[in-house]
Amino acid sequence: MTSPPPPVPVSLDVREYREPLPDADSYLALWQWIEPHLLRVDPREDRSLRLDLGDRGALTLRLLDPAGNPDAFGPGTEFAVRGILETPRVRYACGPCAPSGTRVYGPFQCHACNEEKGKDGGTRLCDRHVVILEGAFRTVCPDHAPACPACGRPGVFWCDGGRCRNRRAWCAAHRVPHPGDARTSYCRDCFDDRFPSCVAPRCGQTGYLRCEHVRSAGGETCPHRVCAAHAGRWQIYGPHRRGLVLCPTHLAGLRGMSREDVVFQIVAATALRRRSRAAGPALLPRLSVVRHILIHVRDEALDMGVVDALFTRLRATADGTRGGAEMATLLDAHARVREQDLDAFRGDQELGRRHYEALLRMLTADGRGQLAERLSFSDFRPKANALYVRVPPDVAGLFIGRGGSGVRDLGARLGVTLKVEKR
Ligand SMILES: [Zn+2]
Ligand SMILES: [Zn+2]
Ligand SMILES: [Zn+2]
Ligand SMILES: [Zn+2]
Ligand SMILES: [Zn+2]
Ligand SMILES: [Zn+2]
C-alpha cells in the first residue's frame, strides 16, 4: 500500500479578475471552476498559465514545483493553493476623496467626527484632506476645520491655555506666542491667565505671584497678580517661612484693618494655602506671634486672652461653606496650641508683673512716685528677659532719659532689659 502523493502546489493571481471575491466561499467557487482546466496542463510546465475570461478579466496560475509534480494529473490529483495575489484593497478610504470617485488610503481620523459618532465611527482622511494645525496633533476633517472664535477666520493653532485646552483654534491675528517656547501659542485670555501682568502701574513684568488677601469667608481671593519686585510679604509665619504675598493695595491696607480682620486674614489665607499646598504644610501662627503681628499692624499690645478670644469668636462664626469648614478645621487644631500658649504666657506675665511691681517700688524709693503712677505694664518676654512698659508721651523723655540712659539704669538695677512699648 502506497501513501497518496503530496498535493500539487500552485499559486493563483486574481489581480486581473474583475468579479468580486468578497469572502472564502467565493474563492472556493472560483477554484472549483478552475480545477478542471488544470488537469489539462503539463505537470512540468514552468511558465505562468493565463486563463482569459473575457469580460470577467483573466486569471493567472503557476505550478510552483514542476519537477516535483507527478507525471500526469488526473481526477484524483489534489492541488494546494500556496499563495494568492490580490489587488491591494483600501480598507480605510479617505471620506472627502470619495465624491471624486477615488479610493485613497486615509491614515488620519477626525477627532470631532469621532466625538460625535464614537471611536472609529468618523471619517478617514488622506494627507491632502486632513487638517492639522500648530500646537497639538489633533487632526480634523475639512468640515470640522475650526474657525477663530474671535473673528471667524480659519484657525491656525490650537491654544494650549487653561481655558482652551487645545480644543479651540485661533487665527494668526489672535495668536499670542509663549515668551520662551516658539512651539506654543495662546489666545489673549489664556495668555493673560498664564502670564498675568503685574498690577503695579507701569511695571509691565509678569505677575507670577498671586495676592493672598482673602476677600470673603468663602475663600475668594484678591485677583491681583504681582511681580516679585512689587509683591509685599506679610511675615505671619515668622521670619523663616514665606509670608503671605500681598499686592501693593493690600499691603498698604494692613494698617487699616481691625483686630478681627487681621485674625480673619491669617486664618483664611492659611486655610487657602493648605488647600493649594502651594507653600508646604501651613499651620496657624502661635498666639505670641499673632500678638506681635497685631503690635506691628495696629500698634496695640493686647493681652493674650484678648488675642485668644479673637480666634474663639472667629471659630464661632465659621460657616458651612468650604472655606468656612477649612477654617474651622484649622482653628480646632489651633485651639490646643493656644491653650498651651496661654498657660505659658500667664506664667511669664506673672513673672513680668513682679518685675513691674519692683520697678514701681524702685521709682517711688527714688522719689519719682508721680512718674511711677503714669506707667502701665505691657508685656514680659522671658526669652529676651525684656520688660515692656507703656509710658504716656508727655513723660516718655523723663522716663527714658538722655540717650536712653534712664531706662538702661533702671533695667540694670532690676536685672531685666527694660523697654518702652511702642505707644
Ligand atoms: Zn482625501
Ligand atoms: Zn470631522
Ligand atoms: Zn481671529
Ligand atoms: Zn485659549
Ligand atoms: Zn511689578
Ligand atoms: Zn490684593
Side-chain angles (χ1 to χ4, degrees):
M1 202 183 141
T2 54
S3 58
V8 174
V10 296
S11 72
L12 174 62
D13 183 346
V14 298
R15 286 177 297 179
E16 290 174 83
Y17 188 65
R18 294 205 195 102
E19 298 282 305
L21 291 164
D23 49 24
D25 284 348
S26 55
Y27 273 95
L28 211 60
L30 180 65
W31 186 255
Q32 274 158 5
W33 180 83
I34 292 169
E35 216 177 57
H37 294 273
L38 265 181
L39 296 181
R40 296 197 292 269
V41 173
D42 175 4
R44 305 279 171 248
E45 179 59 67
D46 61 359
R47 288 167 303 176
S48 298
L49 172 74
R50 190 179 146 90
L51 300 176
D52 201 328
L53 308 176
D55 286 349
R56 294 165 62 204
L59 290 165
T60 307
L61 288 147
R62 189 172 185 129
L63 300 173
L64 293 174
D65 183 19
N69 287 345
D71 294 336
F73 296 149
T77 305
E78 264 186 56
F79 293 94
V81 182
R82 296 281 189 233
I84 296 176
L85 285 167
E86 299 173 287
T87 315
R89 249 181 306 169
V90 178
R91 254 181 88 193
Y92 299 113
C94 172
C97 276
S100 66
T102 40
R103 262 182 93 73
V104 176
Y105 176 48
F108 304 101
Q109 284 183 287
C110 170
H111 280 75
C113 285
N114 279 2
E115 268 161 36
E116 284 168 14
K117 299 169 195 162
K119 177 101 182 82
D120 289 330
T123 319
R124 284 283 174 165
L125 302 161
C126 69
D127 45 16
R128 212 161 50 81
H129 281 115
V130 68
V131 178
I132 300 175
L133 311 185
E134 284 173 52
F137 194 77
R138 190 161 183 273
T139 53
V140 285
C141 69
D143 287 344
H144 282 116
C148 173
C151 65
R153 277 179 284 188
V156 298
F157 74 95
W158 298 106
C159 171
D160 192 37
R163 295 169 187 240
C164 299
R165 296 170 187 279
N166 285 319
R167 307 240 134 209
R168 274 193 293 195
W170 303 72
C171 76
H174 288 104
R175 175 210 296 262
V176 188
H178 185 290
D181 177 4
R183 291 162 305 175
T184 310
S185 305
Y186 302 96
C187 68
R188 170 60 25 192
D189 284 350
C190 286
F191 183 89
D192 286 347
D193 282 353
R194 252 202 102 180
F195 304 100
S197 43
C198 172
V199 71
R202 293 176 301 282
C203 170
Q205 296 293 307
T206 298
Y208 283 109
L209 298 167
R210 234 171 247 284
C211 175
E212 291 182 83
H213 177 91
V214 184
R215 288 163 138 189
S216 68
E220 191 200 346
T221 52
C222 167
H224 289 161
R225 306 285 294 249
V226 270
C227 72
H230 286 114
R233 285 277 180 190
W234 188 22
Q235 292 297 119
I236 63 167
Y237 304 113
H240 304 298
R241 299 245 349 251
R242 279 162 175 250
L244 298 179
V245 172
L246 294 179
C247 68
T249 310
H250 284 121
L251 186 68
L254 280 183
R255 299 208 141 256
M257 288 203 296
S258 67
R259 295 169 188 176
E260 287 77 13
D261 285 346
V262 170
V263 170
F264 171 79
Q265 283 302 320
I266 291 171
V267 177
T270 306
L272 278 185
R273 277 203 175 185
R274 264 179 106 76
R275 188 195 295 181
S276 69
R277 292 166 196 276
L283 288 172
L284 288 175
R286 301 194 77 112
L287 269 195
S288 52
V289 177
V290 177
R291 188 167 172 278
H292 281 122
I293 293 171
L294 286 162
I295 290 172
H296 277 297
V297 171
R298 293 184 40 81
D299 278 340
E300 60 177 5
L302 297 177
D303 183 81
M304 285 287 247
V306 175
V307 182
D308 180 56
L310 290 169
F311 284 92
T312 315
R313 271 212 300 282
L314 183 60
R315 173 66 184 88
T317 58
D319 57 16
T321 62
R322 192 175 162 195
E326 274 165 357
M327 283 167 60
T329 308
L330 263 183
L331 286 166
D332 288 345
H334 193 233
R336 290 248 312 276
V337 182
R338 290 205 304 276
E339 219 171 285
Q340 293 166 6
D341 282 358
L342 272 179
D343 283 348
F345 180 76
R346 285 190 187 115
D348 296 341
Q349 296 307 291
E350 256 168 55
L351 181 58
R353 291 274 176 194
R354 285 203 294 276
H355 286 309
Y356 177 68
E357 299 301 332
L359 170 68
L360 296 187
R361 282 197 301 275
M362 198 180 285
L363 283 170
T364 311
D366 288 354
R368 302 169 82 195
Q370 275 189 325
L371 176 60
E373 273 169 28
R374 305 287 309 279
L375 304 182
S376 55
F377 173 78
S378 174
D379 194 12
F380 178 68
R381 297 185 201 161
K383 273 192 204 144
N385 190 35
L387 174 67
Y388 284 72
V389 293
R390 282 201 197 85
V391 186
D394 60 309
V395 291
L398 205 60
F399 181 71
I400 293 166
R402 186 180 284 264
S405 59
V407 279
R408 269 201 305 278
D409 288 352
L410 287 167
R413 287 161 69 192
L414 282 168
V416 297
T417 306
L418 185 57
K419 293 202 171 207
V420 175
E421 188 72 83
K422 293 188 245 168
R423 247 181 45 79

